[in-house]
Amino acid sequence: MSELWPAPRPRDRVDAVVSLPGSKSLTNRALLLAAIADGPSVVRRPLRSRDTLLMAAALTALGTGIDDTGGEVSREGAGDWAVSPGAWDRDADVDCGLAGTVMRFVPPVVGLARGTVRFDGDAHMRLRPVGQMLAALTELGVRVDDGGRGALPFAVHGSGSVLGGTVTIDASASSQFVSALLLAGARYERGVDVRHVGKPVPSLPHIEMTVQMLRSHGVEVDDSDANRWAVAPGPVRAVDHVIEPDLSNAAPFLALGAATGGRVTVTGWPGSTTQPGDELRTILALMGCEVTLSDGGLTVVGPDRLAGVDLDLHDVGELTPAVAVLCALAESPSHLRGIAHIRGHETDRITALATELGRLGADVTERDDGLDIRPAALHGGTFHTYADHRMAHAGVILGLAVDDVLVEDVGTTAKTFPDFATAWSRAVHGTPAAAGAPAGTAL
C-alpha cells in the first residue's frame, strides 16, 4: 500500500504568500517548439517536474540538445534550459510516464525525424485516449504502428518529412489532439488544416495557448472559423520563452484561503494569460471569496461560509478536483457539469471524486458529465489519489477543514509540482521560507 500522509490542518486563519513553480503546459510547449525551431533558444524559469523532464528526455533522445545553463538537465537544477535543435536521425524509445503532452505532442514531430521511435508509459497511460490523433497522423502521411489499439504502446516511423494537409478528427476527448498537430504543422510540406467534428472540444484555452505560442514563433495560424485551425507551412523562428507560474497548481493554495477564511497571495500572477487556471478568480468569487489582482499577485480572502455554485467546467476541467472539494465544504448545494472528458485524464476523475468524497461523508451524486454535491457532515479517513496529482490536491484541501484526513501517495504531485508536500505544509502552518527560496515555497 502507498504511504499515507496526514494532511495538515491550520491552527488559525491562514495568512500566506506563495510562490509557485512554472507552468507545465507552457514549459512543454516551449521545449517542443524550441526543438523544431530554426536556431538555438532558451526556456527561462522552466518547470522541473516529472512531466517536463520526460518531455526533455524524449526530445533529447531524438537528438535535441537541452542543457541547464549550469550543466546537465536535472530536477535539482536552478537555471534556465538552453535548447539546440539537432539532427533527428536515430531510433529511440520514449517514456511517456503519465504525461499526456509527451504521448500526444511528440509523435507528430517524429514524422520529421529519420528513424523508428517507440512510445510507452505507465500502466494507466495505456488507457488514455490517443487513437484519434494517431489516425490523423496516418492520414497526414506519417507511418504509425499501434497494432490497431489506438493506444500505447505504439511506434512512429519517421521518414524525414511529412506531407501534411487537411485532416478531420474528433477531439472531444482531448484538446491535446488539436494542439499536437498544430505544434508540428508548420514543418509539414503543406502545413496542416485541422477540422474538428463531434461534441465540443474541451479545454479550449489550451488550444488558444498553443496558437499564441506558435504566433510568437512567427508561425501563421488561422483560427477564424469555429472548430478549424490551419497552420501555414514555414519556419519556426527561434525565440526565448519566460514561463509563467502554473495557475492550475495555484488551486490548492487559493483554496487554502477560501476554505479557512484566511488570506493567501500567489505571487507573479499574470495580468493576461491563456492558462485555464486564471478562471479560479471567477470561480472563487462566485463561492463568496474576496479576490484581488495587483502587482503583488492574486490575493484570495475566504468568507465565513463558502457558497455552493452551479458551474460548467468544460473549458477548465483540470480545476474540477479542487473545486469539487470546496463545494463539499460549502453551505449550499453545487452542480459541476460539462466535464465528461475528465474521465480520460490521469484517472476517471468524476468517479474518483465521487468515491473518495463519499467515503469521507460527502453527499455526492455522480452524473455522466459531472457531480452534484450537497452539504453533509464530513469525517476523516484515507483519501485515495489513483496516482493522480490533482486528486492529491483534492485530498489536502479536504484536510484543511476535516480532522484526520490521510492522503495516499502525496508524492504523485511531483508530476507537475516537485516537493509539493513541503510547500503545502509551510503555507498551511505559516512557516517562513529561507531567503531566496525556490519557487513552490511559502514566503
Side-chain angles (χ1 to χ4, degrees):
M1 182 177 180
S2 298
E3 183 178 353
L4 301 180
W5 189 69
R9 186 169 182 183
R11 297 180 290 270
D12 204 345
R13 292 178 185 260
V14 169
D15 190 350
V17 179
V18 179
S19 173
L20 298 177
S23 161
K24 177 264 293 184
S25 297
L26 289 170
T27 298
N28 276 356
R29 283 166 173 78
L31 283 173
L32 189 139
L33 287 170
I36 61 173
D38 59 7
S41 58
V42 179
V43 179
R44 304 191 186 281
R45 301 178 191 169
L47 172 67
R48 296 168 186 273
S49 71
R50 188 184 184 209
D51 273 19
T52 61
L53 291 172
L54 285 169
M55 178 64 82
L59 296 173
T60 300
L62 292 173
T64 304
I66 304 178
D67 298 291
D68 283 336
T69 54
E72 181 182 355
V73 170
S74 69
R75 181 173 307 218
E76 292 73 25
D80 304 326
W81 277 341
V83 184
S84 301
W88 288 8
D89 56 1
R90 63 186 73 173
D91 294 346
D93 292 295
V94 169
D95 176 11
C96 301
L98 280 172
T101 51
V102 176
M103 178 178 70
R104 295 167 182 149
F105 289 2
V106 178
V109 300
V110 168
L112 303 168
R114 291 189 180 276
T116 296
V117 179
R118 295 165 293 273
F119 292 82
D120 205 351
D122 292 4
H124 183 71
M125 282 297 279
R126 296 187 175 193
L127 304 177
R128 296 191 68 180
V130 72
Q132 282 284 325
M133 194 203 70
L134 297 181
L137 286 181
T138 300
E139 188 173 342
L140 291 169
V142 179
R143 183 181 162 206
V144 177
D145 178 10
D146 65 352
R149 293 181 302 276
L152 288 173
F154 58 80
V156 178
H157 305 277
S159 62
S161 66
V162 177
L163 182 62
T166 300
V167 66
T168 299
I169 65 171
D170 180 353
S172 58
S174 176
S175 67
Q176 288 181 359
F177 296 169
V178 175
S179 286
L181 298 172
L182 300 184
L183 287 166
R187 294 287 308 277
Y188 292 178
E189 294 175 21
R190 297 179 181 173
V192 70
D193 187 334
V194 181
R195 305 181 184 201
H196 162 70
V197 293
K199 295 179 180 179
V201 179
S203 304
L204 278 174
H206 277 121
I207 297 179
E208 295 167 7
M209 176 188 294
T210 297
V211 169
Q212 186 179 95
M213 292 189 74
L214 283 166
R215 287 173 174 158
S216 74
H217 282 264
V219 175
E220 181 182 335
V221 185
D222 180 358
D223 62 347
S224 57
D225 296 331
N227 296 317
R228 175 179 178 262
W229 302 265
V231 174
V236 177
R237 187 176 67 238
V239 298
D240 295 349
H241 284 285
V242 180
I243 304 301
E244 299 173 359
D246 192 313
L247 305 189
S248 294
N249 274 337
F253 293 94
L254 296 179
L256 171 58
T260 66
R263 174 191 301 269
V264 172
T265 297
V266 173
T267 63
W269 199 282
S272 176
T273 181
T274 54
Q275 291 193 63
D278 195 44
E279 187 64 17
L280 286 165
R281 293 195 287 158
T282 299
I283 293 170
L284 292 175
L286 289 172
M287 299 193 80
C289 298
E290 178 186 326
V291 182
T292 306
L293 180 62
S294 67
D295 290 343
L298 184 72
T299 299
V300 168
V301 179
D304 290 335
R305 298 292 300 274
L306 287 166
V309 286
D310 185 342
L311 296 173
D312 185 337
L313 297 177
H314 184 263
D315 285 345
V316 293
E318 66 198 56
L319 303 181
T320 303
V323 173
V325 177
L326 290 178
C327 291
L329 301 177
E331 64 178 355
S332 55
S334 295
H335 308 281
L336 305 181
R337 47 199 166 75
I339 46 176
H341 61 283
I342 72 172
R343 292 186 182 278
H345 283 191
E346 282 80 345
T347 189
D348 178 340
R349 286 177 173 167
I350 294 178
T351 295
L353 286 165
T355 300
E356 298 310 311
L357 288 172
R359 192 196 311 275
L360 300 188
D363 184 358
V364 184
T365 301
E366 178 180 347
R367 306 293 185 190
D368 288 343
D369 76 334
L371 297 164
D372 295 338
I373 305 171
R374 294 161 292 274
L378 304 172
H379 57 79
T382 298
F383 193 97
H384 299 279
T385 61
Y386 308 87
D388 184 340
H389 58 144
R390 303 295 182 204
M391 287 297 295
H393 291 170
V396 300
I397 295 169
L398 191 66
L400 295 172
V402 179
D403 287 328
D404 303 321
V405 173
L406 301 174
V407 179
E408 175 204 39
D409 188 21
V410 74
T412 194
T413 52
K415 182 179 193 294
T416 58
F417 197 136
D419 207 16
F420 169 82
T422 299
W424 181 252
S425 294
R426 284 174 170 165
V428 170
H429 294 310
T431 304
T441 56
L443 303 178

